[in-house]
Amino acid sequence: MKKNIVIIGGNSGIGAALAQQRQQAQANLDRIRQNRVNIENQIEQIKPELAELERRYNNQSATLLVEIAEQYKAMVTQQKEQLRVTDRNAIYRSKFTSGLEFDYSRPRDFETYAQMLEKAASLDSVAVGITRKLGEEYARTRQKKKALYWHEETLRRNSAATEPIAGEELKSLQLRTAGLAMQNRDKIKAASYYEQVVGSEAGANDTQLFFSLAKLYADHLGNYTRSLNLLEQWEQSRAQAPQEPLAKVKYFKESLDSLRIKAKINTKLKRRNRALAAQSEAIQVVENLQLLVSEELQKQDNLAVALNNAKIPL
């Protein structure tokens, strides 16, 4: 015969136990969440320190890579010199060589050297010395696209560099970058770098650059307004015609080129009177140039006669 066992207050006891377990679980969860927040806060606090440590490590690694690259370059150069000395014609060739030069004729050696420098540049994201060296080395090996890339990378990094390039040194770098862009047939990019120089303190008085940029806009980019503006600045800052004959010839030739550009632009813009005025001025410059040449020829003739008369008969 089965006996029914009755548990008095059983359901209420189980409910209280479950409630207590839920409270304990919630407290544990809250504690875990708080620990997580604390850990995240600690991580945020040490992130700048970790970033600084990473930066220092990368800088040291980059410096070491550059040193290794230079040692490799010196080793290859030394090997080349040793081979040159053992050559039968070493003594003959040594008369026409001065110093030791890296053998750029061996692409494999240069690629190894350049790869080390590129790795160093990737580790130190603000170093302009490494990228500048890469640009110069690629330019020396006539790899125009890579040379342009690393010159541009140097300019991009320069604003954030600890020791930025400035003044005449920056102007020289911008001009080389513009020249490489011209070699890569990217005249728009070249004009942008020339404009940086024109707009800088170091290039504000470079009148020849104004003239060259005006020609670039007129002959290749079709920016006639800017070209005329640059020609106007060039003429205002231009000195008077020099007295030395060769310098005066150059002065007249530049004047003719300027008037050619003006005539071309005004013809394109259908400014007939201005185009005719530029052509008329060009004719006057040509006449002045012809007069200068005839005067110099007459001086030479007179000098020849004087020398002939001064000869002492034997």
Side-chain angles (χ1 to χ4, degrees), residues 55 126 128 157-164:
R55 187 189 67 80
V126 295
V128 293
R157 294 185 178 197
N158 193 52
S159 58
T162 52
E163 296 181 1

Side-chain angles (χ1 to χ4, degrees), residues 5 10-11 52-53 77 92 118 204 208 235 241 249 251 282 298:
I5 301 174
N11 292 334
E52 178 62 18
L53 289 173
T77 303
Y92 174 78
E118 288 181 4
Q208 192 60 40
E235 290 172 350
V249 169
Y251 182 91
Q298 185 62 46

Side-chain angles (χ1 to χ4, degrees), residues 62-264:
T63 303
L64 181 61
L65 268 174
V66 172
E67 290 176 359
I68 294 172
E70 294 301 327
Q71 289 174 3
Y72 173 80
K73 179 178 178 180
M75 180 189 69
V76 171
T77 303
Q78 186 177 6
Q79 290 177 350
K80 174 189 173 183
E81 181 64 13
Q82 289 174 351
L83 291 173
R84 181 189 301 172
V85 171
T86 57
D87 197 315
R88 292 180 181 177
N89 298 324
I91 298 176
Y92 174 78
R93 287 213 306 273
S94 64
K95 296 179 182 179
F96 302 96
T97 57
S98 57
L100 302 179
E101 295 181 356
F102 189 52
D103 192 358
Y104 292 100
S105 63
R106 298 170 63 181
R108 185 175 299 176
D109 290 339
F110 175 74
E111 286 174 7
T112 303
Y113 172 66
Q115 285 172 2
M116 287 190 242
L117 291 181
E118 288 181 4
K119 182 61 178 177
S122 68
L123 289 172
D124 193 343
S125 60
V126 295
V128 293
I130 303 172
T131 54
R132 189 176 184 179
K133 181 183 287 290
L134 273 164
E136 293 170 352
E137 295 291 349
Y138 277 122
R140 194 172 289 114
T141 57
R142 299 180 182 179
Q143 299 185 53
K144 295 181 289 187
K145 289 184 178 180
K146 288 186 176 181
L148 175 59
Y149 172 82
W150 286 109
H151 273 76
E152 290 185 296
E153 183 65 17
T154 303
L155 291 173
R156 280 192 291 267
R157 294 185 178 197
N158 193 52
S159 58
T162 52
E163 296 181 1
I165 305 168
E168 290 294 328
E169 196 176 359
L170 177 60
K171 174 187 173 183
S172 178
L173 177 63
Q174 290 168 331
L175 288 175
R176 285 200 306 272
T177 307
L180 286 167
M182 289 292 290
Q183 292 179 29
N184 282 277
R185 300 182 179 180
D186 193 339
K187 295 180 176 61
I188 295 176
K189 185 176 287 186
S192 70
Y193 287 116
Y194 283 133
E195 286 285 8
Q196 289 181 21
V197 179
V198 168
S200 68
E201 184 178 351
N205 298 321
D206 194 340
T207 56
Q208 192 60 40
L209 181 58
F210 289 175
F211 184 66
S212 300
L213 186 55
K215 288 176 62 178
L216 178 61
Y217 278 129
D219 294 338
H220 299 287
L221 300 179
N223 190 342
Y224 300 133
T225 302
R226 181 59 176 155
S227 180
L228 288 174
N229 179 261
L230 287 165
L231 282 177
E232 183 179 351
Q233 294 181 56
W234 172 71
E235 290 172 350
Q236 290 175 354
S237 58
R238 195 183 186 201
Q240 296 296 322
Q243 296 301 317
E244 200 275 323
L246 289 178
K248 189 178 287 189
V249 169
K250 181 182 178 182
Y251 182 91
F252 285 146
K253 288 178 67 177
E254 288 178 347
S255 298
L256 280 174
D257 217 358
S258 173
L259 292 168
R260 175 191 65 80
I261 294 172
K262 285 184 177 180
K264 174 182 177 179

